Amino acid sequence: MKKTVIALGLASALALTGCAASEGGNSDGDSGDAPSFDIRVAHQIAPDTPLQEGALKFKELVEERSDGRITVSVYPSAQLGNELDTIAQVQADSLEVALVSPAVMSNVAPNAAVWSMPYLIDGDSEEEQYENLKKVAQIDEVEQMTEDMAAEYGMRAVDWTWWYGNRHITNSVRPIESVDDLKGMKLRTPDAPIHFLAIEDLGASPSPMAFSELYLALQTGAVDGQENPFSTIESGKFFEVQKYLAVTGHLTQGEVALFSEAFWQRLSDEDRELIEAAIKDAGEHQSQLALEENAAALERLESEHGMTVTRPDLKSIREATKGSAEKWAAANSGFSIDIYNAIIESQK
C-alpha cells in the first residue's frame, strides 16, 4: 500500500510512550479466540463539548458491545498533538483514530476539501442540513473517494458526518447586511487553504492562525473578526471582544472519524462491523448534541451576551461564492470537481 505520510510531529514520541497498540489480527470470528486490544481516539476539542461526548459514547458502545474485549482510550484537547500531527499518526499506524476537520485533512488528501466548499449542503436549518449530509455521504462517488483515500494515504474515513455546525462571521467593525459589508475586513481562518476560499470570494482578507491565538488577536485588533459555529463563538467568549454576529452559514463543518487503514485491515470482519456501527451511532449522538448546543448558543449570544445579530441577504453571499469549487479545482490539480458536482446533483 502506498502511504503518503506528512510531518510526523508527535508520532515518534507517541510510539515510545508504551501506549497499547492494536493487535486485532484477522480472526475466525470465534469470540473465545478473538484478541483483546485498545483503540486510541484523539481530537483537539475541550472535554466539555459534544465532540468529547461523542468520543466517550464510542468508548461506551465499543466496550459494551465487545463485552470489554475491546477498550477505548480518549485523548481530547490536543493531548497527542494538533490535527496534522494526529493525521500523520493515523497514517503511520501509531494512532488508531483521529477526529479531524475535512479542511485540515485536505492538506493531505486533496479531495477532502469538497466538504469545505461554500453552501455545499442544502437545508433551511442545521437539522435539515445534517439529514442531507448523512444522505450525501452514502452516494457512490463519496464511497469511492473513501476507498481511494484509504489506498493512497493509509487512512480511512469511516464516518464523514459528525456534525459540528455552520460557520458564521463575527467582527468588531460593522454589522453585516450584505456581501458588500465584508469587503476589506481581515478575518481569521483555520490554517487550511480551503478555508481561505469563501473568505476571499466574499471580498475579505483571510488571516490564518491557531485557534489558541484567536481571542488575543480579536482583543488587540490584529484581525477584525473570525468565523465559527455559534457554540464555538460562545465557548471562546468572542462576544467579549466582538460586537457583531452575521448568520451567514457559508461553510458547513463536520468532523471526520479517521481510522488508520493498517489498523482497519488487521481487524476481523466481525470487529469491523462492531466498530463501524459504534462510530456511526456515537456520531449521531454527538451530532444531536451539537445541533441543540448551536441553537441555544445563538439565542444566548443575542439575548444574554449582547451581540448585535444580523441575518444578511444570503442571495448576494451565495452569488459571490458561486464559482468557488471551479476556481479551487483549477488551482489544485489533486481535487476532483466530479465529486463536488455529484454531491450537488444528489440533492436536486
Side-chain angles (χ1 to χ4, degrees):
M1 177 189 299
K2 177 183 175 183
K3 291 185 180 180
T4 302
V5 181
I6 59 175
L8 292 181
L10 297 181
S12 298
L14 178 65
L16 298 175
T17 63
C19 293
S22 165
E23 296 179 356
N26 285 308
S27 72
D28 59 8
D30 183 342
S31 61
D33 296 332
S36 298
F37 56 93
D38 186 62
I39 300 172
R40 289 160 298 166
V41 180
H43 67 82
Q44 313 302 299
I45 311 302
D48 188 21
T49 58
L51 192 71
Q52 172 71 350
E53 289 300 315
L56 293 176
K57 175 60 74 171
F58 175 64
K59 171 182 172 67
E60 173 191 324
L61 294 175
V62 167
E63 294 179 354
E64 177 184 288
R65 294 172 184 178
S66 69
D67 294 323
R69 177 175 60 84
I70 307 172
T71 57
V72 176
S73 301
V74 179
Y75 299 88
S77 303
Q79 290 179 31
L80 301 187
N82 63 30
E83 285 186 292
L84 283 174
D85 289 331
T86 58
I87 290 170
Q89 292 161 24
V90 164
Q91 289 184 282
D93 194 26
S94 59
L95 175 67
E96 288 75 42
V97 186
L99 300 173
V100 299
S101 71
V104 175
M105 185 180 166
S106 73
N107 289 332
V108 180
N111 279 329
V114 72
W115 302 111
S116 297
M117 292 297 164
Y119 299 108
L120 178 73
I121 305 298
D122 289 342
D124 293 329
S125 66
E126 285 202 3
E127 288 77 11
E128 285 185 16
Q129 289 176 293
Y130 174 54
E131 293 303 317
N132 283 335
L133 175 62
K134 289 189 290 184
K135 293 174 184 176
V136 162
Q138 298 178 51
I139 68 173
D140 291 344
E141 290 82 358
V142 171
E143 291 186 351
Q144 186 60 55
M145 175 176 69
T146 300
E147 293 299 325
D148 291 345
M149 287 180 181
E152 185 168 2
Y153 303 110
M155 54 189 187
R156 176 175 292 271
V158 176
D159 191 355
W160 291 102
T161 65
W162 284 44
W163 186 264
Y164 188 62
N166 285 331
R167 299 180 77 89
H168 308 277
I169 296 172
T170 70
N171 81 94
S172 57
V173 179
R174 56 181 170 266
I176 297 169
E177 301 289 357
S178 73
V179 68
D180 292 337
D181 294 320
L182 286 161
K183 295 191 185 306
M185 280 194 187
K186 189 174 183 180
L187 301 178
R188 176 267 178 184
T189 68
D191 193 7
I194 186 60
H195 267 287
F196 309 164
L197 185 65
I199 300 304
E200 290 173 340
D201 285 347
L202 293 174
S205 175
S207 181
M209 69 178 65
F211 185 81
S212 60
E213 301 170 3
L214 177 53
Y215 185 95
L216 182 60
L218 295 171
Q219 186 178 46
T220 60
V223 292
D224 298 316
Q226 60 86 54
E227 36 93 58
N228 259 302
F230 299 129
S231 61
T232 304
I233 293 168
E234 183 182 38
S235 64
K237 299 187 183 301
F238 300 147
F239 55 84
E240 296 178 346
V241 288
Q242 298 272 272
K243 180 174 178 57
Y244 305 107
L245 165 59
V247 182
T248 55
H250 53 283
L251 293 181
T252 295
Q253 184 170 332
E255 294 289 305
V256 184
L258 193 64
F259 282 65
S260 160
E261 177 66 2
F263 164 71
W264 193 252
Q265 293 303 325
R266 288 197 299 274
L267 294 170
S268 67
D269 290 343
E270 293 81 359
D271 283 350
R272 278 188 204 143
E273 184 177 348
L274 184 156
I275 291 167
E276 182 171 6
I279 202 73
K280 290 184 175 179
D281 289 347
E284 178 77 26
H285 173 74
Q286 87 86 39
S287 294
Q288 292 302 325
L289 292 176
L291 289 166
E292 293 168 8
E293 186 168 306
N294 279 322
L298 173 58
E299 183 176 344
R300 289 191 295 265
L301 287 167
E302 190 167 20
S303 63
E304 297 179 22
H305 301 311
M307 294 196 82
T308 299
V309 177
T310 59
R311 290 165 176 81
D313 169 25
L314 292 187
K315 183 178 179 181
S316 69
I317 294 177
R318 283 177 177 268
E319 189 63 29
T321 63
K322 193 172 182 180
S324 295
E326 289 78 7
K327 183 170 75 172
W328 183 260
N332 295 271
S333 59
F335 174 74
S336 172
I337 193 68
D338 293 340
I339 298 170
Y340 171 81
N341 289 335
I343 290 174
I344 296 298
E345 188 64 30
S346 72
Q347 298 175 85
K348 291 181 178 178

